[in-house]
Amino acid sequence: MRDAVTSLIKNYDLTGRYFDRNAIDSLKSYFDSGTARVQAAAAINSNAAALIKQAGIKLFEELPELIRPGGNAYTTRRYAACLRDMDYYLRYATYALVAGNTNVLDERVLQGLRETYNSLGVPIGPTVRGIQILKDLIKEQVRAAGVVNTAFVDEPFDHITRELSEQDI
Ligand SMILES: CCC1=C(C)/C(=C/C2=NC(=C\c3[nH]c(/C=C4\NC(=O)[C@H](C)[C@H]4CC)c(C)c3CCC(=O)O)/C(CCC(=O)O)=C2C)NC1=O
């Protein structure tokens, strides 16, 4: 698992270089956004359960066929599995937000996920929609916590949806 700092060090160490201007700029930008990242994590942490619940309600309002007979989230067990997946996405996105790096998502969440979803018939499009709904709710929450520029919140959520949607070659 890597964060913004360790991944930078790894790159420079590989070629035995001192930090150059680019490295310094990227370190500066990571540390400048540090307080906001921690504030975001705190805002998510204090509301995670409610945010997941709300995202689920919104998703199933938009796509009610998911919870009707024949839908992938139909039955209590699968409904719960769907919300649990959203909870995984939120928790790991929070780790990635604090790390300033999406590596934790690749290692712990995304590996083999698309294959699992395909084999269980979990539809990717609606999952992506669910993650985007979650992202919007989180951004609202983070804004309410006093963080002005919430653009950095997009990164881990967009990373998950991009990787999930990627087509097989
Ligand atoms: C920490 C990393 C991690 C992830 C991400 C993860 C996902 C994950 N989701 C699963 C199932 C599932 N995932 C969903 C999700 C949904 N169905 C829908 O219609 C919605 C669109 C969507 C919710 C937004 C459902 C319904 C199942 C159960 C499918 C089944 O058993 O038939 C499964 C199969 C095993 C199980 O049921 O537990 C895995 C491995 N597991 C992990 O360990």
Side-chain angles (χ1 to χ4, degrees), residues 59-60 66 72-73 77-79 81-86 88-89 92 108-109 113 116-117 120 122-123 126-127:
L59 176 66
F60 297 132
L66 291 174
N72 186 260
R77 182 187 67 80
R78 290 203 299 257
Y79 187 103
C82 178
L83 291 190
R84 180 214 53 198
D85 283 9
M86 301 262 273
Y88 283 150
Y89 298 133
Y92 282 97
R108 303 287 164 85
V109 179
L113 182 61
T116 303
Y117 272 10
L120 289 170
V122 177
T127 300

Side-chain angles (χ1 to χ4, degrees), residues 4-5 8 21-37 100 152 155:
V5 176
L8 191 75
R21 184 57 194 269
N22 285 341
I24 299 297
D25 285 349
S26 90
L27 284 168
K28 264 188 72 137
S29 116
Y30 175 64
F31 286 112
D32 284 348
S33 63
T35 309
R37 291 177 189 278
F152 71 93
E155 204 186 351

Side-chain angles (χ1 to χ4, degrees), residues 17-121:
R17 283 175 298 156
Y18 280 92
F19 289 138
D20 56 16
R21 184 57 194 269
N22 285 341
I24 299 297
D25 285 349
S26 90
L27 284 168
K28 264 188 72 137
S29 116
Y30 175 64
F31 286 112
D32 284 348
S33 63
T35 309
R37 291 177 189 278
V38 174
Q39 274 177 293
I44 294 168
N45 175 53
S46 60
N47 280 299
L51 287 162
I52 295 297
K53 198 172 158 200
Q54 223 180 314
I57 290 171
K58 213 164 167 213
L59 176 66
F60 297 132
E61 255 170 29
E62 256 184 53
L63 301 169
E65 63 276 14
L66 291 174
I67 51 172
R68 285 190 192 129
N72 186 260
Y74 175 66
T75 76
T76 319
R77 182 187 67 80
R78 290 203 299 257
Y79 187 103
C82 178
L83 291 190
R84 180 214 53 198
D85 283 9
M86 301 262 273
D87 189 56
Y88 283 150
Y89 298 133
L90 181 57
R91 183 161 59 87
Y92 282 97
T94 310
Y95 297 160
L97 273 181
V98 170
N101 191 291
T102 52
N103 176 257
V104 65
L105 298 171
D106 297 333
E107 283 187 359
R108 303 287 164 85
V109 179
L110 292 164
Q111 240 176 51
L113 182 61
R114 206 147 35 95
E115 292 71 15
T116 303
Y117 272 10
N118 287 338
S119 73
L120 289 170

